Amino acid sequence: MFGMKKYIIYDFNGTVLDDVKVSLAAINVLSRKYLAKEIDLAEYHKCFTFPISSYYQNVGFDFSLKPFEEIGLEWVKEYNSRRSEYELFPGVVDQLESNRQKGKKNILLSASDLDMLKEQLRELGIFELFDEVLGIDNVFAKSKLPIALGFIKDKNPDECVMIGDTLHDLEVARGMGVDCILVANGHQSYESLKKEYDRVVRDIREVDYD
């Protein structure tokens, strides 16, 4: 479909890691506390975007009353308290192992804090399946495009494909000049993704980049 790919670049949350329910539970703790309401999964999919500060505003947070940085840190605390509840999407490990057997490089590219990201990968038992792990130096998830551009600068874009679950992943892929496949099983709905892009599947096991 895309020609031979050497570098398979994966987003983490919502693509490799099935953490939507955990993320929704965490935001609802804050939403109940500060907004006296909850959101359901459909509303979550509608609100979710990058930068994460815009997502919080979509939910209803007013940063003049509660600064973004404080909300972000509270959310991370709630999310981490539920880390035993998330899991890998079915088929992820098989795909990563298959890539390695075929001589491809598995790259993880995330807007998560790099230290937290590596800890999660080790807890999940998949750290060694990635040839490179790229994250940011804070928990506020503004954008992963700068680190993506650093990665791609000495690579042939035609040998790379980005696999993600949000329109930000598509934005990052376009910024790198690489092909992209979106998996509508994470933080944004199939309808939202398909409205903006054609190459959308519902399950990572449907991804085909050879």
Side-chain angles (χ1 to χ4, degrees), residues 4-195:
M4 185 59 68
K5 299 301 180 185
K6 180 178 179 181
Y7 300 95
I8 316 302
I9 307 167
Y10 291 90
D11 168 60
F12 185 54
N13 302 87
T15 302
V16 169
L17 186 70
D18 183 1
D19 67 343
V20 176
K21 291 180 180 179
V22 172
S23 299
L24 177 59
I27 197 64
N28 272 330
V29 169
L30 275 65
S31 188
R32 288 192 299 270
K33 181 177 179 181
Y34 297 111
L35 305 175
K37 70 172 188 177
E38 289 190 1
I39 60 173
D40 60 17
L41 181 59
E43 185 70 11
Y44 176 86
H45 279 151
K46 182 179 178 181
C47 291
F48 191 85
T49 191
F50 281 86
I52 290 298
S53 57
S54 296
Y55 154 54
Y56 289 148
Q57 288 176 317
N58 288 344
V59 173
F61 289 96
D62 182 345
F63 297 150
S64 68
L65 301 176
K66 187 71 174 178
F68 163 60
E69 292 77 10
E70 292 183 22
I71 295 171
L73 290 174
E74 280 197 51
W75 183 90
V76 169
K77 180 179 179 180
E78 292 296 336
Y79 177 89
N80 284 337
S81 73
R82 293 168 167 79
R83 281 165 68 160
S84 63
E85 299 173 28
Y86 58 50
E87 58 189 359
L88 297 172
F89 280 108
V92 165
V93 172
D94 289 343
Q95 190 173 115
L96 294 172
E97 291 177 340
S98 177
N99 290 342
R100 296 289 290 272
Q101 291 168 4
K102 294 175 181 177
K104 301 179 188 295
K105 302 291 186 181
N106 293 320
I107 311 299
L108 195 69
L109 174 62
S110 175
S112 295
D113 174 77
L114 182 58
D115 290 336
M116 188 173 89
L117 183 61
K118 289 181 177 180
E119 183 179 347
Q120 287 176 290
L121 293 175
R122 290 189 177 99
E123 288 175 355
L124 294 161
I126 59 171
F127 181 78
E128 300 300 329
L129 292 177
F130 287 97
D131 297 275
E132 196 164 350
V133 178
L134 306 171
I136 62 176
D137 62 358
N138 61 75
V139 299
F140 302 117
K142 183 175 181 181
S143 175
K144 55 196 171 195
L145 183 55
I147 53 174
L149 294 176
F151 168 79
I152 201 68
K153 64 183 180 181
D154 61 349
K155 309 292 190 304
N156 178 355
D158 291 338
E159 294 181 336
C160 304
V161 61
M162 176 84 189
I163 302 173
D165 71 301
T166 69
L167 293 175
H168 181 57
D169 294 315
L170 176 61
E171 176 187 3
V172 170
R174 286 173 169 167
M176 289 191 290
V178 307
D179 288 322
C180 183
I181 306 172
L182 296 178
V183 184
N185 204 12
H187 295 277
Q188 290 187 311
S189 69
Y190 179 87
E191 292 74 21
S192 297
L193 300 178
K194 194 68 175 177
K195 182 178 179 180

